[in-house]
Amino acid sequence: MAQIEVRGLRKSFRVPLRSSGPFGALMDLVHRRTRTVEALKGITFEIEAGQIVGCIGPNGAGKSTAIKIIAGIMNPDGGEATVLGRTPWADRKAHVRHIGVVFGQRTQLWWDLPVIDSFALLREIYDLPRRDYDETLADVVERFHLAEVLDSPVRQLSLGLRMRCDLAAALLHRPSILFLDEPTIGLDAVSKLALREAIRDWSTERGVTVLLTTHDMDDIERLCRRVLLIADGSLLLDGAVDDLRRMSSARRTLMIDLAADVADVDLEGAELVRREGDRLWLEYDPEQVATHELIARAAAACPIRDLTVADRPIEEVVAQVYRDTP
Amino acid sequence: MRPYLAVLRTRCRLLLQYRAAAAAGLATQVAWGFLRLMILEAFYRAGGPAPMTLSQVSAYVWLGQAFLAMFPWNVDADVRDQVRTGSVAYELARPIDLYSLWFARALAMRTAPTLLRSVPLLTAALLLFGMPGPASAASLMWFAASMLLALLLACALTVILTASALWTISGDGASRLLAAVALSLSGNIAPLALLPDWLGRAVVLLPFSGIVDLPFRLYSGNIPPENAWLVLLHQSLWTVALVALGRGMVNRGMRRLTVMGG
Amino acid sequence: MIRSVRRYARIYGRLVAASVRSQWQYRASFALYSASQLVATLAEFGAIWALFARFGSLPGWRLPEVAVLYGISNVAFALAEAGARGFDVFPGMVRTGDFDRLLLRPLPTAFQLAAHEVQIMRVGRLVQGSAILAWGCMGLGIEWDATRVSLVGLCVVGGACIFAGLFVLQATLAFWTIESLEVVNIVTYGGNQMAQYPLTIYRPWFRLFFTVAVPLAAINTVPMAALLSRPELSGLPAPLTWLAPCVGGPFLAACLLVWKLGERRYASTGS
């Protein structure tokens, strides 16, 4: 049995409509008008133990609703979910003992207290045996390089350090599943790398399942073999990162640096999408024109100093998919 | 004058949006009014001479509830946050007088909720809760004039509360203390005339009575119209003094802040 | 059972200690805030004293008796304010989503909110209320014995439960709306103001409300009937008047049940 099983999960919300005009507020008090928004229209997937799965989708498309339901803090209207053999929302307190959650935007640490004090409070809250706690603490401190910051108040930490501390805090009770909500938001490049490394190592070595939401496609490419794309309340894609690329189109980009200035470059089978000085970007479909063929045509058409062929950046692919969903 | 008027107008519009909150506030004020009135009525049942009639007390209590939002009990939160984050230094780069700007903001902050609450509350109190009307046309006129001065006095105090944030980095502790003192001595808890005579006479001289106690007593005729000029003089003198004090505080405070480098 | 009670007590202690340590870093603000609360409450009692000085008496009541009521209500309110502060900030937590964090911990949410932040700056009202209570008790001119002393203690605890229950109810409303919560101040702050005077001075409808709906009479005239041996104050059989403040317990429990309902609603609406 898979660790997380979700079948036909549905959830809709009633959003109040506000009347305008001078008596609008009064009218709303008398008669509330609402509009029903379907946040999830029946979503089904399974996640095996130890996988790192990325969950992407436009804002308000339903991914945070899905995560909230699986994390046990929201009831669905219909459908089933089994996480570690339990229905998450049926017994919240038993369920949350086995999951860890990190919100990128908000810390769960006590703002004015030293980091180690927050950890000690979490030990009490999760009722962890001393030996287990000491062992896990030693492990996270070493792995995430936290030894020096343990005695600093959380408010004095840089965002990158704070996120590592938050991650450590979410792992102290050794959860089997880790939910990460935009963990790298606002981090600098070095901090991002450090955090990703921490997540990946912990997952592989301890067999922890990770489900993360993000808007950073780098997170997905570096961490996840598998992606869930949720848009408009439906699961649009459940597959590998490459499937995502294939989804919008298989178009590729040919970037050419010209050796001499040429007024116009027109190649059959390719479309000029951008030009900056003597650098050109051309898009083409490899199904219709082979890459070597196109390069040969380019070499014949203009003097070339250098060229690169690249997949379309995944950001653009995703943006395309978001645009295409209503 | 133009920029300050624009600030005033937009702030008022913003504050008027929270109508549901205003309705809730209205209900709360009415309940408080009844509570205060019932307590004072109980004391009047003991008989004995009092310097105010029960009907004057009723007018006093309802006016107090109606104009509660005008009282300088809190600071301008936006300005306080600007001071805390240091972004207040940017205000110096604009071609406006900071004190006037803060005063205009205070005026909006005191006027909009007061208008919103006082009109319905006074209507209800006069028609339903047995609040007596003004003692005479002259009393009403002097009351109105005195309320305008009371508003200016309240704004001058609000700016002083706000400016105190330029000195204390410890949040709004100092301004809360100031507001608590002001509220206690204004006549908001009990009419100052009902205090023991020696105490009442001293407290009335302070500026705070000019926001609550004095104008309300003009309304009910407890202070007769022929003595109204004394009230207006008291309010005017204190307003001038507090504006000067506030201006000094803002100037010194900003100088201190810029020397420290924001 | 006993183990879990001990565990909860320990967690509560640790969380409160953490909250106090956090606040201690802002000592100056704490001192000023306590001072302002002291000024406000002193002025409040000063007004009571002044009215007694002006009018001689409140029909049927002497100043020390009112002081006892004032002290009980204020100490109870200060305790509830300190203990239920988390419920006070709760509407904000719903708005920012911080409440989700509490749901993700293996503890009841009401418990976490109670331990969320114990405001030491409420100490101003506590100190002043205790002082007035002690002063009033000494001026009553009654024979103090163990039962009478414990009755006063019971009143304080019962009152704290009632006020805490009201804070919980106010927070529960935030599951439905966050716009008009101010109305509840009528029974919280208003209730405290009301209970500072004997209930008998108010109009009948008002007395009825604070006897039946919000049972503040149970820490006001009813126990005073027992304390002052004036059975006409309550109209209840004497043994009941001694136990009246215990009503606070069931009241708080009922409020927590309503809280549970709100929490269930939150789980299905997410707002």
Side-chain angles (χ1 to χ4, degrees):
Chain A
M1 194 162 117
Q3 205 171 35
I4 301 178
E5 286 187 4
V6 174
R7 302 237 167 288
L9 219 49
R10 280 186 296 107
K11 181 79 194 173
S12 53
F13 299 109
R14 283 223 302 271
V15 189
L17 288 173
R18 292 203 175 253
S19 312
S20 56
F23 301 107
L26 210 61
M27 297 293 289
D28 287 344
L29 277 180
V30 181
H31 178 64
R32 277 211 156 175
R33 292 178 307 140
T34 55
R35 179 170 61 96
T36 304
V37 176
E38 277 186 276
L40 292 179
K41 298 173 179 169
I43 282 189
T44 301
F45 61 85
E46 286 183 5
I47 296 176
E48 300 292 335
Q51 284 190 342
I52 302 184
V53 178
C55 187
I56 58 171
N59 288 328
K63 61 180 189 307
S64 60
T65 305
I67 300 272
K68 276 185 179 176
I69 291 174
I70 304 171
I73 61 179
M74 192 186 271
N75 310 331
D77 295 338
E80 292 165 34
T82 313
V83 179
L84 300 162
R86 267 189 218 89
T87 305
W89 56 89
D91 186 356
R92 174 181 70 80
K93 276 174 275 176
H95 174 70
V96 297
R97 260 178 203 289
H98 303 281
I99 63 169
V101 181
V102 176
F103 293 114
Q105 315 260 33
R106 299 192 292 271
T107 181
Q108 71 153 322
L109 305 168
W110 277 254
W111 195 242
D112 290 314
L113 295 186
V115 176
I116 189 71
D117 288 16
S118 288
F119 289 174
L121 283 168
L122 289 169
R123 178 176 97 83
E124 297 288 347
I125 287 172
Y126 285 92
D127 203 13
L128 306 173
R130 178 102 246 168
R131 272 186 40 211
D132 292 2
Y133 169 77
D134 286 344
E135 192 257 324
T136 326
L137 181 65
D139 194 6
V140 290
V141 166
E142 196 206 316
R143 230 183 253 272
F144 303 166
H145 312 289
L146 299 180
E148 267 119 67
V149 301
L150 282 180
D151 294 320
S152 320
V154 174
R155 62 164 191 272
Q156 290 174 5
L157 301 183
S158 70
L159 186 59
L161 264 172
R162 207 198 78 203
M163 282 313 299
R164 266 186 280 158
C165 291
D166 252 305
L167 182 63
L171 296 174
L172 287 175
H173 58 288
R174 301 181 181 173
S176 317
I177 303 176
L178 187 59
F179 294 96
L180 305 169
D181 186 27
E182 303 192 29
T184 58
I185 193 163
L187 296 189
D188 61 63
V190 178
S191 304
K192 272 186 189 176
L193 287 180
L195 194 71
R196 283 183 198 134
E197 193 185 10
I199 294 168
R200 195 177 37 231
D201 289 356
W202 192 271
S203 170
T204 28
E205 283 168 43
R206 299 237 173 187
V208 169
T209 312
V210 179
L211 183 56
L212 75 110
T213 70
T214 185
H215 287 295
D216 185 337
M217 289 307 138
D218 257 7
D219 287 348
I220 299 286
E221 289 195 274
R222 304 289 154 97
L223 281 175
C224 313
R225 294 240 178 80
R226 184 175 161 206
V227 191
L228 302 175
L229 170 60
I230 296 179
D232 196 29
S234 310
L235 190 58
L236 285 195
L237 172 86
D238 177 358
V241 177
D242 287 338
D243 294 333
L244 188 62
R245 275 215 183 78
R246 237 166 273 137
M247 218 185 134
S248 85
S249 72
R251 288 167 80 90
R252 292 182 158 194
T253 307
L254 174 66
M255 190 178 81
I256 298 176
D257 284 333
L258 297 172
D261 200 24
V262 180
D264 232 350
V265 181
D266 191 15
L267 290 182
E268 199 194 328
E271 183 193 353
L272 181 69
V273 289
R274 196 161 140 216
R275 173 162 189 176
E276 275 170 26
D278 53 8
R279 179 169 284 189
L280 310 172
W281 284 265
L282 299 142
E283 264 189 24
Y284 68 100
D285 186 345
E287 309 254 305
Q288 285 173 16
V289 51
T291 306
H292 65 91
E293 178 66 25
L294 189 68
I295 293 174
R297 278 184 209 164
C302 53
I304 292 173
R305 182 155 53 82
D306 194 8
L307 62 75
T308 345
V309 178
D311 282 336
R312 221 169 141 201
I314 190 133
E315 246 106 24
E316 278 180 30
V317 175
V318 171
Q320 178 74 46
V321 174
Y322 289 3
R323 269 197 303 272
D324 290 349
T325 53
Chain B
M1 211 50 197
R2 282 266 298 285
Y4 308 112
L5 281 179
V7 168
L8 184 66
R9 209 170 324 121
T10 44
R11 293 285 303 167
C12 278
R13 203 174 299 147
L14 189 75
L15 293 169
L16 283 171
Q17 276 174 4
Y18 301 102
R19 276 168 295 197
L26 197 64
T28 313
Q29 293 317 328
V30 169
W32 273 104
F34 273 113
L35 185 57
R36 291 180 59 195
L37 205 52
M38 277 190 275
I39 292 169
L40 289 168
E41 276 171 5
F43 277 105
Y44 271 84
R45 258 181 263 135
M52 277 176 104
T53 67
L54 188 55
S55 135
Q56 284 170 346
V57 167
S58 161
Y60 189 102
V61 166
W62 288 119
L63 286 172
Q65 294 311 110
F67 292 103
L68 196 66
M70 205 178 90
F71 195 84
W73 54 274
N74 60 351
V75 303
D76 189 330
D78 293 345
V79 172
R80 184 196 54 206
D81 292 344
Q82 272 182 15
V83 170
R84 196 169 45 208
T85 59
S87 64
V88 69
Y90 296 116
E91 297 288 335
L92 292 177
R94 296 187 190 163
I96 9 179
D97 172 44
L98 199 55
Y99 183 85
S100 307
L101 177 73
W102 287 5
F103 197 91
R105 289 180 59 95
L107 205 54
M109 183 168 125
R110 295 285 160 238
T111 314
T114 305
L115 283 180
L116 208 62
R117 290 185 179 197
S118 64
V119 175
L121 197 141
L122 285 178
T123 313
L126 283 166
L127 297 179
L128 305 173
F129 310 148
M131 172 187 172
S136 64
S139 292
L140 181 63
M141 202 191 69
W142 286 115
F143 164 73
S146 170
M147 279 312 286
L148 279 179
L149 282 172
L151 176 65
L152 296 182
L153 194 51
C155 293
L157 269 168
T158 303
V159 179
I160 287 178
L161 290 189
T162 306
S164 73
L166 290 170
W167 274 271
T168 51
I169 44 162
S170 55
D172 46 8
S175 64
R176 272 174 194 276
L177 183 57
L178 273 173
V181 171
L183 199 66
S184 310
L185 300 176
S186 67
N188 220 308
I189 298 175
L192 296 182
L194 296 185
L195 298 184
D197 291 329
W198 58 270
L199 184 62
R201 254 179 242 133
V203 173
V204 142
L205 291 177
L206 298 172
F208 316 113
S209 64
I211 307 175
V212 174
D213 191 75
L214 296 175
F216 296 177
R217 281 159 67 191
L218 277 177
Y219 174 93
S220 65
N222 185 258
I223 298 176
E226 54 269 26
N227 289 347
W229 65 275
L230 270 170
V231 172
L232 267 60
L233 183 68
H234 168 276
Q235 292 176 307
S236 312
L237 288 178
W238 274 118
T239 305
V240 171
L242 292 182
V243 166
L245 176 65
R247 204 170 257 291
M249 280 176 75
V250 171
N251 288 344
R252 308 250 329 246
M254 289 307 289
R255 212 174 306 144
R256 217 177 71 101
L257 213 64
T258 42
V259 167
M260 279 164 49
Chain C
M1 175 67 191
I2 290 175
R3 185 181 174 270
S4 82
V5 167
R6 273 176 50 195
R7 180 180 159 231
Y8 277 54
R10 197 178 61 229
I11 299 178
Y12 185 79
R14 293 286 169 90
L15 287 171
V16 168
S19 157
V20 170
R21 251 178 300 146
S22 299
Q23 293 168 62
W24 193 242
Q25 302 181 17
Y26 304 95
R27 284 181 287 279
S29 176
F30 157 67
L32 284 168
Y33 196 101
S34 309
S36 67
Q37 223 188 17
L38 204 59
V39 167
T41 47
L42 277 178
E44 215 173 61
F45 190 74
I48 296 180
W49 166 81
L51 289 170
F52 265 97
R54 165 70 61 189
F55 291 97
S57 81
L58 189 61
W61 297 87
R62 294 178 305 124
L63 181 58
E65 293 164 355
V66 174
V68 169
L69 289 175
Y70 177 94
I72 288 174
S73 185
N74 250 359
V75 173
F77 193 78
L79 289 177
E81 244 185 342
R85 164 72 182 168
F87 290 93
D88 212 16
V89 298
F90 171 74
M93 294 178 84
V94 170
R95 204 169 38 229
T96 57
D98 282 334
F99 184 59
D100 289 346
R101 174 49 70 193
L102 301 194
L103 286 170
L104 289 168
R105 290 187 175 145
L107 291 173
T109 51
F111 173 81
Q112 291 187 68
L113 281 171
H116 177 70
E117 190 186 333
V118 173
Q119 284 202 307
I120 48 174
M121 55 188 173
R122 305 287 166 175
V123 83
R125 194 196 291 275
L126 190 70
V127 168
Q128 184 261 6
S130 310
I132 304 277
L133 179 58
W135 179 79
C137 286
M138 285 189 296
L140 282 185
I142 54 168
E143 287 289 322
W144 286 98
D145 53 26
T147 11
R148 288 202 150 84
V149 173
S150 35
L151 178 62
V152 172
L154 200 59
C155 282
V156 168
V157 175
C161 286
I162 295 176
F163 286 123
L166 291 172
F167 285 129
V168 171
L169 276 187
Q170 183 167 25
T172 306
L173 275 183
F175 285 121
W176 281 270
T177 172
I178 50 170
E179 271 185 282
S180 34
L181 297 175
E182 195 190 337
V183 174
V184 188
N185 288 356
I186 297 171
V187 284
T188 53
Y189 290 87
N192 180 27
Q193 173 88 14
M194 188 287 308
Q196 292 170 2
Y197 290 91
L199 207 57
T200 51
I201 68 167
Y202 301 109
R203 291 176 200 171
W205 61 269
F206 199 82
R207 286 209 298 262
L208 190 70
F209 179 81
F210 280 108
T211 308
V212 181
V214 178
L216 281 171
I219 60 154
N220 191 274
T221 38
V222 179
M224 283 307 262
L227 200 64
L228 303 175
S229 312
R230 286 170 62 186
E232 81 281 3
L233 285 176
S234 81
L236 288 173
L240 278 183
T241 56
W242 289 96
L243 293 172
C246 297
V247 166
F251 183 80
L252 179 57
C255 296
L256 287 170
L257 273 179
V258 182
W259 169 261
K260 274 286 201 199
L261 286 180
E263 198 184 58
R264 207 167 300 155
R265 183 192 144 85
Y266 180 86
S268 64
T269 59
S271 59

